[in-house]
């Protein structure tokens, strides 16, 4: 699932009624089609994969290609066996030096949020120990792509990025994260 929109950060407008094709690198020197979906009134899309999409277990890059103009964005498919151990982490004020790093990035999309020294090494160490990394953030959906780019640029391990429907702070952020954790607990049973 995702959202296709033009613009950056919180200043976006959705692509409505557009077709999105989903492809992955086959490993045999070509892309393999996984399916397609049409965006809704908010630019949202979802694709249900078959029980065996041919990807195998692990973390996989899937590309959502907007058919109208050929632009694309990388998504992740995370096929982990039941019982996989994970490390769940926040981003702002946990991996970055403060919650204010997001606010600075919102006001200046070119700003590179400052990470705590060795935060990426800590997460890489968990990955080396066999844990998968899951990012649960109060950042809104519209910041998923810049967040993914930031994590990759700062050498954090690839993992699912769970975002909020809208920008939430303080108690609203705690309530959102608690609900997200409870929701994930039920889907993993």
């Amino acid at each position: 699932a995702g959202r296709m929109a033009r613009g950056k950060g919180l200043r976006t407008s959705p692509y409505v009624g557009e077709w999105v094709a989903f492809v992955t690198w086959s490993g045999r020197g070509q892309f393999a089609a996984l399916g397609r979906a049409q965006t809704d009134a908010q630019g949202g899309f979802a694709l249900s994969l078959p029980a065996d999409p041919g990807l195998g277990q692990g973390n996989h890059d899937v590309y959502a290609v907007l058919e109208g103009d050929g632009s694309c964005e990388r998504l992740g498919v995370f096929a982990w066996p039941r019982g996989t151990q994970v490390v769940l982490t926040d981003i702002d004020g946990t991996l970055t030096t403060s919650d204010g790093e997001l606010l600075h990035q919102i006001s200046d999309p070119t700003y590179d949020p400052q990470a705590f020294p060795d935060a990426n090494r800590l997460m890489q160490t968990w990955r080396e120990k066999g844990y998968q990394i899951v990012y649960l953030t109060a950042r809104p959906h519209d910041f998923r792509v810049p967040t993914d780019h930031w994590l990759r640029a700062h050498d954090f391990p690839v993992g699912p990025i769970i975002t909020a429907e809208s920008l939430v702070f303080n108690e609203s952020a705690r309530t959102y994260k608690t609900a997200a954790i409870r929701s994930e607990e039920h889907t993993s049973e």
Side-chain angles (χ1 to χ4, degrees):
R3 182 174 180 267
M4 292 295 245
R6 60 180 76 74
K8 291 191 179 219
L10 297 178
R11 297 178 181 96
T12 62
S13 57
Y15 285 103
V16 177
E18 297 283 339
W19 283 97
V20 180
F22 300 91
V23 298
T24 189
W25 188 248
S26 71
R28 295 183 300 273
Q30 61 189 14
F31 283 98
L34 294 174
R36 60 196 294 251
Q38 193 170 25
T39 59
D40 63 20
Q42 289 77 43
F45 58 81
L47 178 72
S48 295
L49 295 175
D52 181 12
L55 298 174
Q57 289 185 358
N59 300 342
H60 305 281
D61 285 336
V62 171
Y63 300 89
V65 181
L66 189 63
E67 292 179 2
D69 67 7
S71 61
C72 78
E73 192 56 56
R74 179 181 45 228
L75 305 173
V77 171
F78 304 95
W80 303 335
R82 184 177 304 278
T84 296
Q85 293 184 312
V86 302
V87 170
L88 178 69
T89 184
D90 181 32
I91 296 174
D92 297 298
T94 302
L95 302 179
T96 69
T97 57
S98 76
D99 284 333
E101 292 298 292
L102 172 61
L103 299 176
H104 197 148
Q105 188 179 18
I106 288 171
S107 64
D108 176 5
T110 65
Y111 178 71
D112 184 25
Q114 299 301 301
F116 275 115
D118 295 323
N120 58 352
R121 185 72 198 123
L122 175 64
M123 293 295 104
Q124 290 290 357
T125 299
W126 281 114
R127 174 58 60 80
E128 290 164 9
K129 290 179 177 278
Y131 291 81
Q132 296 293 338
I133 309 301
V134 177
Y135 302 93
L136 174 60
T137 178
R139 290 173 172 228
H141 288 318
D142 289 339
F143 257 75
R144 183 185 303 260
V145 171
T147 300
D148 179 57
H149 291 181
W150 182 84
L151 290 166
R152 289 175 188 259
H154 290 271
D155 200 30
F156 285 94
V158 172
I161 301 169
I162 303 168
T163 55
E165 289 288 331
S166 62
L167 189 59
V168 292
F169 293 100
N170 301 325
E171 190 57 37
S172 296
R174 285 185 280 282
T175 300
Y176 148 71
K177 288 177 183 177
T178 300
I181 291 168
R182 287 185 178 140
S183 171
E184 291 302 314
E185 288 172 351
H186 293 285
T187 59
S188 64
E189 293 177 352

